[in-house]
Amino acid sequence: MSRVIRGWVGRAVLATFTLLVVSALAAPAPGSADTRHPVLLVHGGGGNPGNFALMQRWLAADGYQSFTVDLGSPATDVRMGAAKIATRVKEIQRQTGASKVHLVGHSMGGLSARYYIKVLKGLPNVATYTAFGTPQHGSAVGCAMVPDQCPGNPVMQALNAGDDTPGSIYYTSIGSTEEPVESNGTLTRLDGGACLPLVKGGLHAFEPSNQVIYRAVRDGLSSACPPGRFKTLRDLPN
C-alpha cells in the first residue's frame, strides 16, 4: 500500500472515530434533560395554544425552547391535527435548525401527535413522545365531542394496529387519578413499551397548567421513568 493511500485510510479512520466520539458525547444520558431539541406542545379538542402558557414558562426555566400549534377550536379531527403537526414540525426545524422535535400532547393532541408519528411517518423527526390525559385506545366519554376518540373508530384502529410505540424513541403517557374516567392508568396506557406515570395531576381541563403533570412531562423529555412505571403489554391488567 502506498504512503499516500495509507495516509488517506488513516485520516478516514480518525475522522470516523472522531464522529463517533462527538455523537456519543452529544447524546443525552437517560434521565438528563435533552434541551438540544425544541418542544412542540399540542393542545386537546376543547383547548387552544394558550392552555400552555404556564408550561412554556416552566420549560423555559428548565432550558427548553418550546412552541405551540393551533389545531383549531374546537379540534375534533385527529388526522387533520396530525397534518397540522407535520407542517409545524417543518417550520420549527427550519427556524431552529433542529433535526428533531419533542412532541408533548394533551388529550386529543396526544392522539394527533401519535398519528403523525405512526401513520404520517413522522418518526424520524421526533426526539420523544409525551402525552397526558390522552385516551390512547379511545374513550366512550370523549367521543361525544371528538368522534375520532370513539373506541373502534377507524382512526383508533389505525393508531393501535400492531405496535402502539413504533421505533426507538422514548414514549410516555401520563394519567391523572383525579380524572373521573381514570382510576388505574387503563385510559392512558400504551402497549408495547412506554413509561406510564399515574399521578395526582388535577382535573382534565386544568392538566396543562398543573405542576405535577409538568414534572412528569419533564421526566418524559429526559427519557426518565419513575420506578415500576415502565410497562409492556404483559405487565398490564386484562
Side-chain angles (χ1 to χ4, degrees):
M1 184 183 294
S2 73
R3 186 179 303 171
V4 172
I5 293 176
R6 285 199 301 271
W8 287 345
V9 171
R11 284 193 292 272
V13 170
L14 179 60
T16 302
F17 176 77
T18 302
L19 180 60
L20 290 173
V21 170
V22 170
S23 298
L25 291 174
S32 63
D34 178 12
T35 55
R36 299 170 305 155
H37 299 117
V39 179
L40 176 57
L41 301 164
V42 188
H43 66 81
N48 61 73
N51 297 154
F52 292 112
L54 270 176
M55 189 171 288
Q56 287 195 282
R57 285 167 52 187
W58 295 331
L59 284 165
D62 284 326
Y64 288 95
Q65 184 178 17
S66 66
F67 299 84
T68 58
V69 58
D70 191 348
L71 302 187
S73 185
T76 59
D77 191 314
V78 168
R79 288 166 292 191
M80 185 178 296
K84 290 183 177 182
I85 290 170
T87 299
R88 190 69 173 122
V89 167
K90 289 179 181 177
E91 292 173 350
I92 294 169
Q93 288 175 318
R94 284 196 298 267
Q95 182 176 337
T96 65
S99 59
K100 297 177 184 289
V101 172
H102 292 291
L103 289 183
V104 176
H106 177 226
S107 193
M108 191 204 88
L111 296 178
S112 288
R114 196 152 67 88
Y115 198 94
Y116 164 69
I117 291 170
K118 184 171 183 176
V119 182
L120 300 190
K121 310 301 182 185
L123 182 63
N125 302 316
V126 179
T128 61
Y129 168 90
T130 303
F132 56 95
T134 295
Q136 299 286 6
H137 289 257
S139 166
V141 175
C143 76
M145 185 175 82
V146 182
D148 284 350
Q149 292 182 169
C150 294
N153 181 282
V155 171
M156 300 308 303
Q157 290 178 356
L159 274 177
N160 298 303
D163 189 0
D164 286 357
T165 56
S168 59
I169 67 171
Y170 201 88
Y171 288 85
T172 300
S173 187
I174 304 157
S176 172
T177 56
E178 295 182 277
E179 285 208 42
V181 293
E182 180 72 285
S183 58
N184 61 1
T186 300
L187 181 74
T188 51
R189 88 176 198 271
L190 281 172
D191 297 336
C195 183
L196 304 175
L198 191 57
V199 299
K200 192 174 181 180
L203 295 175
H204 189 78
F206 303 103
E207 288 172 343
S209 57
N210 185 288
Q211 284 188 302
V212 174
I213 291 287
Y214 174 68
R215 286 195 291 269
V217 167
R218 187 178 57 194
D219 283 345
L221 298 176
S222 302
S223 299
C225 192
R229 298 313 304 177
F230 195 86
K231 299 292 183 179
T232 61
L233 180 58
R234 65 178 178 274
D235 298 318
L236 293 167
N238 294 326

